[in-house]
Structure formats: structure tokens, C-alpha cells
Amino acid sequence: DSALFNITVNGNGNVIVQDKHQDIEYTQSFHYYEGAEGNNKVFLNRSSGAYIFRPKTSDIKNLTNTGSHKIYKGPLVDEMHITINDWISQVVRVYNKENFLEFNWLVGPIPVGEHIGKEVITKYSSNLKTNKIFYTDSNGREMIKRIRDFRPTWDVKIAEPVSGNYYPVTSKIFINDKKRSLKLSVLTDRSEGGTSLRDGEIELMVHRRLLSDDAFGVGEPLNEEAFGTGLETRGQHYVIGGRASDVSSIVLKEKKLAQKLALRPWTFITPVEDITFEQWS
Amino acid sequence: KNLEEFREAMGIMQHHDAVTGTEKQKVANDYARILYKNMYQGDDIVSSSLSKWILKNKNENSSPVQFHSCLELNISSCTYTEENTNFVVTLYNPQSQPVTTYVRLPVQGQSYSVKDSTGTEQKTQIVPIPTPVINIPGRKSKATVELVFAAIKIPALGYQSYYISENNAAQHVHLSHATINSSM
């Protein structure tokens, strides 16, 4: 009864989280977009690349879960190690008495054997009613209100419904349900692209591997390799839910968490093989 | 000299191509080289600063302490924690307020004692490093587990040290596998 979270993994490898104290439920899942590949001769036929995110279609592709999961519990941290397939895995962590979840993802090398570039996203789908509104930060300063398919200063017609709604997320993206006074935030450990394409959802792009240049100047496809294969990337998302009515409390918690992610203590090691604790002390 | 080169590297890294990753691959490789070299030199700067700071309160004959940073902690790899049975971890808090944080260190042993400077034993946990991380190409590490402990209230813009030693007998092992359960 005292547990803060109930966390389950379903048959698709998706993580289902019940934040028991905040009455928020969300599912975290991985998907990918296929990168558009054009001839780069006219603007509307440009490929997805280093400068632009342009998926071939608006549909996200689901992954087949061929992996497994294991749970490790201890006095300081409970962890769920989830392998989804050969190139996506993650650790979901709950530290003792902490009210947030850490998603520690590892993505790559993205397979491009069938010559299709992929842009991998992770999605947090909640039960919040958000009415097309979400918020992203601005270089870690103020939060900017974003409305899906809308621009505040002109009448916009979004031609590309996915990339047209993607915004930079320097360190934080959140949604809230005004009626229920609930808020769900995702804090990132690096700059990522993010959006909310459906009410209650937060989507963040975590890795990309593309096979064509986008003709914006770099002259190379975004296809980095190391050790003869595509790159692997490991990063973290902190997910925290809370009562939006309790503004000062949740803002303070999120601020502290964001600072923890961005300004972590520096770790230095000194080997002391021949020195006892008493001597060191 | 080290500081000047570090500043130059940080200047180069503010170019918009370095920030967004829109540089050519060979330039990206060169940026990585510059960044690595200067992070490494930055290590020397921090090490000598911390050493002076620590020795300020000791007698003048004490020998300087060498502090090493581990640039591959993000892939759970660190030679100094893996290869040594006794080591000191010093955490510098760059924030202007005290911070409590969990520390994760890649190690090879199954049980460790972690003491703060007053000799108070800290609660620890050993957690396996996930197999996909162990198999990352280019990760040259013997660590298969991580030692976890909480560093409580590291002073603002200050440091806190912990003395860590491997226990011979497998005591206080908090490693537990619960692969049958599907919920946490």
C-alpha cells in the first residue's frame, strides 16, 4: 500500500506505470519513423537528414518484442532491465523514496539492412486530457506553450503533421490535464526533439540513422558509424507526475531534478591500494 | 596552458555545427578529438585544484593526491574502480546548493564497504550491468556489476569523499534476481 509506483511490462515490451499517489497512468514504448528519401531537387522532395526531420509517412512503426525482462530489487534501488530486440533495451529505475522514474535507454546500432533510414522515438502515453496543448523549455529557461497544428502569430496550415509539430526540448517537456489538475513531465539529459501528437502523449526522439543527404549543406547522410556499425546511444529520461494545483511544490521538485540531470556532481577516483581507512581519514 | 587550450576547445564547440551535429563526419571526429584531449587536460586542472584544496588543511609535507575522472561512466566503464579493491571517490558538487545523489560505479567484486570521512558505513547495493550495455562495441571493461550508494548532502560548490574497499567475504550482498515476477 505504501508503494509509490506499480510498474509492469506487457507482451510488447511496453512499460506500464501506475503512479499511485498522483492517480496518473502512462505507458512507455519505443517506435520509429522511416526517414523520407527524395531526390533533393525540389523542396518538397528533400530527404530526411542532419538538418531536417522528415518522416516518409506520419505513421509510426512498432517494434516486435523479441526480448525479455528481469527485475532486481534492493535497499536503494529497484530496477527492471528490459531488452526489446537486438538494438533497443532499457533499464527502468525507482530509487528508494524518490517520486520519479528513471528510464535509462540504450538504442542502436539502428539496422539499415533493407536500406531504410530510421528515426527512433520513445513515447509516454498517459490518461491525461490535454486538449492539444503541451509545453517545451527554451534553453532551460521559460516553458513555452505549444498547441498542436497552431502557431501563435499566423494562420498556419501544417503540411507535415509530424515534423511540423516537433519542437526542441533542451531539458524538459510536459503536459497537463487542467480538469484533473494533473501534470506529467519528462526531463532529458540532453537536447532532443519532442512533441505531443495526440492528447495525453509525450514523444521524444532519441536516435536517428539516415541514408541520404538532405541537401541543406552538409553533403553527407546522417549515418555515423563506429567499430564498423552504426552508433549506439545511451541516455536518461526522468519522468515525474504531480498535482498541477500544487504548483510551487512540483515546480521546485522538477527544478531540482533538472539540475541534478544537467549539473551532476563530478566523480573523481583515487586508487589507495596500500592506504587503510584510518590512514586516509 | 591546459586551461587556455580547454577554453579554446569550448570556444570551438560553440559553433552551431558542433552544437547540432550538422558538421561533416570528419569534422565531427575532429571535434571529438579536441573535446577528448581537453576534457583529459581539464582533469589535470581539477585534480591539482582539488589536491591543493585538500592539502590546505594538512601538513605541508603531505604528497599531492591524484584524482582521476572516468569519461566512460556513461557506459558503465571505469578502469580505476574496476581494477582496484581500495579506492576513494571524491564528488565535486558544481551547484550552489547542497545535493544528495545516488552514485553508480562499475566494479568487479560482489560486496563493498563504503565509508564517509567520519567512518560512517553507507548503505550499498550491487546491481548487474545489463547485457546489452556489456556488449556495446568498443566497451573495454571487466565490470559486470555496479556499486550503488547515496552521497548525502554534498556541500554547495564543494566536495565529499568516500573510502571504498572490497569485502573479501560476500557479506551484505543485496543482489537479488526476481526473474519470475512480471511486475515491480
Side-chain angles (χ1 to χ4, degrees), chain A residues 123-245:
Chain A
K123 203 166 69 166
Y124 301 87
S125 312
S126 74
N127 57 351
L128 271 59
K129 304 270 182 286
T130 52
N131 199 24
K132 291 186 172 187
I133 298 168
F134 59 107
Y135 297 80
T136 60
D137 69 342
S138 156
N139 275 338
R141 292 190 279 264
E142 63 180 322
M143 297 303 294
I144 299 176
K145 184 179 183 179
R146 314 290 192 183
I147 303 173
R148 205 159 57 240
D149 301 325
F150 178 81
R151 298 290 185 272
T153 50
W154 78 98
D155 188 13
V156 71
K157 284 195 172 59
I158 301 284
E160 300 187 29
V162 177
S163 47
N165 283 303
Y166 254 74
Y167 290 92
V169 176
T170 319
S171 60
K172 181 173 164 183
I173 180 169
F174 77 80
I175 50 176
N176 63 15
D177 185 328
K178 280 195 172 170
K179 262 193 179 170
R180 293 168 64 208
S181 269
L182 291 175
K183 184 180 176 196
L184 185 70
S185 305
V186 182
L187 311 175
T188 63
D189 65 342
R190 68 199 65 192
S191 300
E192 290 163 21
T195 187
S196 174
L197 291 178
R198 286 188 193 84
D199 281 1
E201 282 184 6
I202 290 176
E203 183 176 315
L204 287 157
M205 185 172 289
V206 292
H207 196 8
R208 324 169 64 201
R209 190 178 182 194
L210 298 158
L211 305 170
S212 297
D213 172 44
D214 57 15
F216 272 102
V218 70
E220 288 176 3
L222 188 70
N223 183 12
E224 289 176 276
E225 290 193 347
F227 304 100
T229 182
L231 292 189
E232 288 186 56
T233 175
R234 193 184 193 194
Q236 292 178 348
H237 289 161
Y238 284 177
V239 182
I240 182 167
R243 300 252 158 222
S245 52

Side-chain angles (χ1 to χ4, degrees), chain B residues 59-134:
Chain B
N59 67 57
E60 285 175 5
N61 297 326
S62 303
S63 52
V65 188
Q66 189 64 42
F67 298 91
H68 303 280
S69 64
C70 290
L71 298 182
E72 291 183 341
L73 272 178
N74 65 324
I75 52 167
S76 306
S77 166
C78 175
T79 310
Y80 303 106
T81 56
E82 290 163 23
E83 302 287 348
N84 293 291
T85 50
N86 290 348
F87 54 90
V88 171
V89 171
T90 303
L91 301 160
Y92 173 76
N93 173 16
Q95 291 190 49
S96 57
Q97 59 191 343
V99 158
T100 294
T101 189
Y102 284 95
V103 181
R104 304 181 71 95
L105 301 168
V107 289
Q108 291 193 69
Q110 287 298 314
S111 174
Y112 287 81
S113 145
V114 178
K115 288 177 184 166
D116 67 12
S117 56
T118 64
T120 310
E121 193 84 38
Q122 307 295 303
K123 199 183 267 187
T124 65
Q125 187 177 340
I126 295 284
V127 184
I129 297 169
T131 315
V133 176
I134 289 175

Side-chain angles (χ1 to χ4, degrees), chain A residues 52-108:
Chain A
I52 53 166
F53 162 44
R54 169 172 273 175
K56 195 158 89 182
T57 68
S58 298
D59 304 324
I60 50 169
K61 306 284 177 190
N62 294 322
L63 297 154
T64 311
N65 177 27
T66 54
S68 58
H69 68 276
K70 288 178 180 173
I71 296 165
Y72 302 94
K73 290 185 175 185
L76 298 176
V77 61
D78 286 357
E79 297 194 352
M80 188 185 273
H81 295 196
I82 306 166
T83 304
I84 290 156
N85 58 25
D86 287 347
W87 52 283
I88 297 185
S89 62
Q90 69 174 337
V91 179
V92 183
R93 289 194 182 114
V94 189
Y95 284 103
N96 188 25
K97 290 177 186 165
E98 297 282 7
N99 61 344
F100 67 92
L101 252 68
E102 177 187 314
F103 291 83
N104 199 300
W105 40 266
L106 177 70
V107 177

Side-chain angles (χ1 to χ4, degrees), chain B residues 126-150:
Chain B
I126 295 284
V127 184
I129 297 169
T131 315
V133 176
I134 289 175
N135 293 335
I136 288 175
R139 181 181 178 271
K140 291 179 185 133
S141 169
K142 291 177 186 162
T144 53
V145 292
E146 278 183 323
L147 168 67
V148 184
F149 67 94

